[in-house]
Amino acid sequence: MKKLKVLLIGIIAIIAVLFFTGRHMRTSQGHTGSNTLTIYNWGDYIDPDLIKKFEQETGYKVSYETFDSNEAMFTKIKQGGTSYDLTIPSEYMIQKMMKEEMLHPLDYSKIKGIDEIDPRFLNLDFDPGNQYSIPYFWGTLGIIYNDKQFNEEDIQHWDDLWKPEVHNSLMLIDGAREVMGLALNSDGHSLNSTDDKELKQASEKLSRLTGSVKAIVADEIKMYMINEEATVAVTFSGEASEMVDSNEHLHYVIPNEGSNLWFDNIVIPKTAKNIDGAYDFINFMLEPENAAQNAEYIGYATPNKKALALMPEEITSDEQFYPSDEVINNLEVYEDLGLDYLSIYNELFLEFKMHRN
């Protein structure tokens, strides 16, 4: 009888150990393996509360990393190492990733809410039929200035950056396509030019801009302009929106001789590990209330037409950041220039930066 009691106690103890071990393993897996969604996004490009909301609604744990250029993102994904489930490149980089077969084709039977997207932002040249990408934000490149130093008529065109009054006051975004593009546009050329003569002309013109440049940076432009440590800058519309909200003396201009119209879309890299989680996040961000919350927080323009209806009219009617079709039609989308001309753009931009130093 005593032996039987000992045997029963032993069995109960083993069952208890197995129960608690299994419970612990299930709990631990809540933040690893298939329950983790790894997102690679631009800095300051999502409302952090939306990530928390997504985690609460779905049970996924989001691992979130940021990049500061399309090229940096491309290189890291190409090299492997970390397996990102989602990333948000710009249109020309989506083209490049498609060519290099780095993207997972989308299964629309798993996507809910694509009808919420304004048709103007679907089926664009860089991804016909949106086979690989879902619109996230769109915007422009322009000039922001402080009205304490400049009147409205002083800063309306790219050429105004070369004025003597701008000496040592200009902040430039650290991007070869953006800086070479503004120089090309200022001379009436396409920002996708592959004409060697036009590129040389743009490079020579940039060399005469060095005296105006205070710094070539990225996210720091916001701080400099808001704190009035610089008076004029070239920046993206969403960044400008945040600056304008923080300092009433700042104004954003899209030069009428042309500029960049860009689109950032969500894609799933082929190396993604959590495909189901990626679709869940896409569907979450397509929900109008989430898209509206994100657009209000970030300041960039949303392509989600139902989200627009949920946002304050003072935001959606502001043509600085939601420009008219007439303005949009005068803008250009970056094209994938191919490796040779991308290298030329990068070399000329590097020469400009070195010449400045």
Side-chain angles (χ1 to χ4, degrees), residues 279-307:
Y279 280 114
D280 287 339
F281 186 81
I282 288 171
N283 292 335
F284 176 82
M285 292 309 301
L286 283 173
E287 291 177 20
E289 59 270 27
N290 293 335
Q293 179 179 335
N294 207 28
E296 278 194 62
Y297 180 85
I298 300 298
Y300 281 105
T302 177
N304 191 311
K305 58 182 188 293
K306 282 194 177 177

Side-chain angles (χ1 to χ4, degrees), residues 92 177 191-194 335-342 345:
Y92 73 97
R177 294 299 301 267
L191 48 69
N192 293 306
S193 176
T194 52
E335 296 172 0
D336 177 14
L337 300 173
L339 189 57
D340 289 345
Y341 272 95
L342 183 61
Y345 272 65

Side-chain angles (χ1 to χ4, degrees), residues 77 84 101-105 132 268-273 275:
I77 290 183
Y84 296 103
E101 298 184 347
M102 292 170 64
L103 299 181
H104 182 84
Y132 296 91
I268 304 175
K270 261 195 174 172
T271 51
K273 299 294 185 189
I275 301 292

Side-chain angles (χ1 to χ4, degrees), residues 17-179:
V17 168
L18 289 174
F19 173 79
F20 285 111
T21 301
R23 184 178 178 184
H24 173 71
M25 288 177 68
R26 285 194 295 276
T27 302
S28 297
Q29 190 160 1
H31 301 305
T32 60
S34 62
N35 275 3
T36 295
L37 185 71
T38 307
I39 300 175
Y40 198 27
N41 197 359
W42 297 87
D44 296 330
Y45 215 38
I46 192 169
D47 181 347
D49 286 343
L50 284 172
I51 293 179
K52 293 177 188 170
K53 182 180 176 184
F54 175 75
E55 290 178 326
Q56 289 167 355
E57 286 188 4
T58 63
Y60 292 115
K61 171 65 180 176
V62 172
S63 174
Y64 194 81
E65 292 185 31
T66 62
F67 54 82
D68 58 12
S69 72
N70 280 294
E71 287 69 25
M73 178 278 305
F74 174 86
T75 300
K76 195 163 184 183
I77 290 183
K78 184 77 173 176
Q79 288 175 342
T82 303
S83 295
Y84 296 103
D85 299 311
L86 289 165
T87 189
I88 304 179
S90 303
E91 67 298 307
Y92 73 97
M93 189 53 71
I94 292 171
Q95 270 187 312
K96 183 176 175 66
M97 295 175 85
M98 287 164 58
K99 282 181 185 175
E100 302 214 12
E101 298 184 347
M102 292 170 64
L103 299 181
H104 182 84
L106 296 176
D107 179 353
Y108 277 87
S109 69
K110 298 181 178 178
I111 296 175
K112 300 172 185 174
I114 193 66
D115 293 343
E116 314 294 2
I117 300 295
D118 186 329
R120 291 185 300 163
F121 305 110
L122 294 171
N123 197 30
L124 299 177
D125 290 344
F126 64 89
D127 182 15
N130 288 86
Q131 296 180 68
Y132 296 91
S133 67
I134 299 292
Y136 183 72
F137 278 133
W138 65 279
T140 60
L141 182 77
I143 306 171
I144 189 163
Y145 68 92
N146 190 311
D147 64 18
K148 290 183 179 176
Q149 282 76 33
F150 300 103
N151 296 318
E152 182 179 350
E153 61 271 20
D154 292 335
I155 303 290
Q156 292 294 318
H157 305 283
W158 291 123
D159 268 345
D160 292 332
L161 302 180
W162 276 262
K163 286 180 174 177
E165 300 92 308
V166 181
H167 181 74
N168 198 33
S169 302
L170 173 64
M171 309 291 292
L172 283 180
I173 195 82
D174 190 4
R177 294 299 301 267
E178 286 74 21
V179 175

